[in-house]
Amino acid sequence: MSKGGETGLQPINLKAIPQRRLYTGATMPAIGLGTFGSDHVGPQEVATAVKGAAAIGYRHFDCASVYQNEQAVGASLEEIVRGGVKREELWITSKLWNDKHGEEDVIASCRKSLADLRVDYLDLYLVHWPFPNFHPPGCDVTSRSPNAKPYIHENYMRTWRKMEELVDLKLVRHIGTSNMTVPKLKLVLRDARIKPAVNEMELHPHFQQPELFQFVIENGIQAIGYCPLGSPGRPERDRTPEDTAPIEDPVIIQIAQRHGIHPAGVCVKWAVQRGQTPIPFSVNPRNYAANLHAASGDWLTDEEMQAIAGLDRNSRLIKGQVFLWRSGQSWEDLWDVSGEITPP
Ligand SMILES: NC(=O)c1ccc[n+]([C@@H]2O[C@H](COP(=O)([O-])OP(=O)(O)OC[C@H]3O[C@@H](n4cnc5c(N)ncnc54)[C@H](OP(=O)(O)O)[C@@H]3O)[C@@H](O)[C@H]2O)c1
């Protein structure tokens, strides 16, 4: 049991939080804390949340070099371990940023994240995006990197070979993909020596990605779901008029009222019960405690799960416009919506 910190919540039954079994036999807590502060939550605030979250029972932390806060988060992780939490109880993810896909950059980039996070190994290292295109932090969605490229499978596999080497070197326990599509994953599964253990993807009640979700589960890949609450705090530049908000959905609100919780808790429960691993971001102790609490019981009924299954609106929030490689393209081109990899 965890006391739920100074949050006024009931104690959290940590033993009731499900664990996901990866194809290696390793287990991963079925909820993690996101650490992307974007441009409005600074590194120190995120690092304080990591410490507070660990104190009430979080063991899974979703990090990335591009979040520009791994040094601060690493200081918290070191304190957490010094405070008595064993390293092997933690699940720490980091990600290779788009400007480090080059064969000579992958291992060095991972070593930098290891040093910043102050750990000897990562539980999971992801290729953050399938494109080597990048942009300055905080830029407008119309910004494009000058040498932007489409997905080139041979290049991705060159990067992947170095990711595999990280496993051989025991610097990381698992490797995975992020922001992939079914046709791209099919090629990676065909050609990988060490197959991805996880695919990290946007998943919330208004964006359920049923086909991709089914595909990864059937292939023994765990799905980590980002923006599990519909990212209500994302900056204005990442919003479009057609975006929808799952925590404002009347069905979600009604279920939340029935359970006496915030709609965010319903999104967490739905995700955990569906079989994905949500990684909600929060720097508010009351909110991150409520999210952990939601993953520990008082589960949704079959009827409630079915009602939420019917809410999918194919409403992608993280469209990735800045990663497009040609002028005149639409963001859908990044996501292979025709079922084929979008031609160059
Ligand atoms: N692989 C990728 O490409 C990728 C892309 C995007 C995100 N991610 C990862 O996914 C994580 C989560 O995504 P996200 O941060 O965009 O969206 P999110 O987790 O859906 O939403 C976070 C927002 O919800 C609020 N919130 C959290 N718990 C709440 C609660 N119980 N009640 C009310 N409000 C609550 C937070 O505010 P407070 O801080 O005030 O609580 C914050 O503004 C990121 O931090 C990052 O680690 C990965």
Side-chain angles (χ1 to χ4, degrees):
M1 284 283 178
S2 150
K3 287 204 190 88
E6 300 303 310
T7 59
L9 281 181
Q10 293 158 350
I12 302 169
N13 181 4
L14 300 176
K15 292 210 169 74
I17 295 172
Q19 299 279 324
R20 304 292 183 220
R21 190 167 289 279
L22 287 89
Y23 72 72
T24 58
T27 53
M28 171 178 78
I31 179 168
L33 185 78
T35 67
F36 180 37
S38 190
D39 46 9
H40 57 291
V41 185
Q44 209 41 58
E45 218 182 322
V46 173
T48 302
V50 166
K51 238 184 324 178
I56 62 160
Y58 275 87
R59 293 294 177 264
H60 173 169
F61 298 96
D62 182 78
C63 310
S65 57
V66 74
Y67 301 163
Q68 296 186 296
N69 57 18
E70 286 194 328
Q71 284 186 3
V73 169
S76 292
L77 293 174
E78 190 173 62
E79 263 189 65
I80 291 162
V81 172
R82 220 187 291 130
V85 177
K86 293 197 186 79
R87 169 65 186 91
E88 54 274 25
E89 287 174 35
L90 296 173
W91 181 277
I92 302 172
T93 300
S94 184
K95 311 185 191 88
L96 180 76
W97 188 235
N98 305 0
D99 59 349
K100 302 291 182 192
H101 283 203
E103 284 168 285
E104 62 293 353
D105 291 329
V106 177
I107 292 176
S109 191
C110 180
R111 284 194 191 279
K112 168 90 168 76
S113 284
L114 287 169
D116 287 349
L117 293 168
R118 305 196 196 182
V119 290
D120 299 330
Y121 68 90
L122 294 168
D123 296 279
L124 177 64
Y125 198 49
L126 303 173
V127 180
H128 207 144
W129 284 83
F131 310 96
N133 312 334
F134 61 98
H135 55 93
C139 72
D140 183 74
V141 290
T142 58
S143 171
R144 300 284 178 268
S145 77
N147 300 312
K149 290 190 175 61
Y151 178 77
I152 300 172
H153 181 62
E154 294 68 30
N155 292 354
Y156 190 87
M157 287 314 296
R158 276 192 202 106
T159 308
W160 193 257
R161 295 288 170 237
K162 300 309 275 188
M163 297 287 285
E164 293 172 330
E165 204 177 318
L166 290 170
V167 179
D168 298 337
L169 291 167
K170 300 202 175 352
L171 295 177
V172 311
R173 293 173 70 209
H174 303 91
I175 49 178
T177 54
S178 178
N179 296 304
M180 291 292 266
T181 60
V182 171
K184 290 185 183 107
L185 271 175
K186 277 186 181 160
L187 294 181
V188 173
L189 285 173
R190 184 193 68 191
D191 294 339
R193 173 171 65 86
I194 301 179
K195 76 171 193 173
V198 165
N199 183 54
E200 192 165 305
M201 55 201 274
E202 181 176 332
L203 286 172
H204 48 80
H206 282 179
F207 192 60
Q208 303 188 14
Q209 303 214 62
E211 194 200 348
L212 179 57
F213 179 69
Q214 211 38 48
F215 180 84
V216 299
I217 296 297
E218 278 169 14
N219 282 281
I221 299 171
Q222 287 292 334
I224 292 183
Y226 72 68
C227 302
L229 316 178
S231 198
R234 71 193 184 287
E236 222 26 66
R237 65 166 189 276
D238 289 339
R239 295 172 190 262
T240 60
E242 62 273 19
D243 291 355
T244 63
I247 57 175
E248 290 168 16
D249 189 301
V251 173
I252 302 278
I253 292 173
Q254 200 182 42
I255 296 172
Q257 284 166 347
R258 213 177 292 143
H259 287 259
I261 57 175
H262 187 280
V266 176
C267 295
V268 169
K269 287 181 194 298
W270 169 77
V272 172
Q273 284 178 254
R274 187 184 188 221
Q276 64 225 31
T277 296
I279 44 169
F281 172 86
S282 178
V283 289
N284 175 327
R286 207 184 152 74
N287 287 350
Y288 60 66
N291 297 339
L292 191 66
H293 192 265
S296 72
D298 180 27
W299 300 115
L300 304 179
T301 63
D302 289 349
E303 292 72 27
E304 289 168 336
M305 286 297 290
Q306 267 164 29
I308 299 175
L311 298 180
D312 192 8
R313 296 186 184 190
N314 197 24
S315 174
R316 189 189 288 280
L317 303 175
I318 304 300
K319 300 176 183 68
Q321 298 93 325
V322 289
F323 305 123
L324 288 167
W325 61 90
R326 243 194 298 115
S327 60
Q329 282 185 301
S330 138
W331 60 264
E332 280 92 348
D333 291 328
L334 296 166
W335 303 103
D336 305 335
V337 288
S338 69
E340 302 288 327
I341 296 178
T342 304

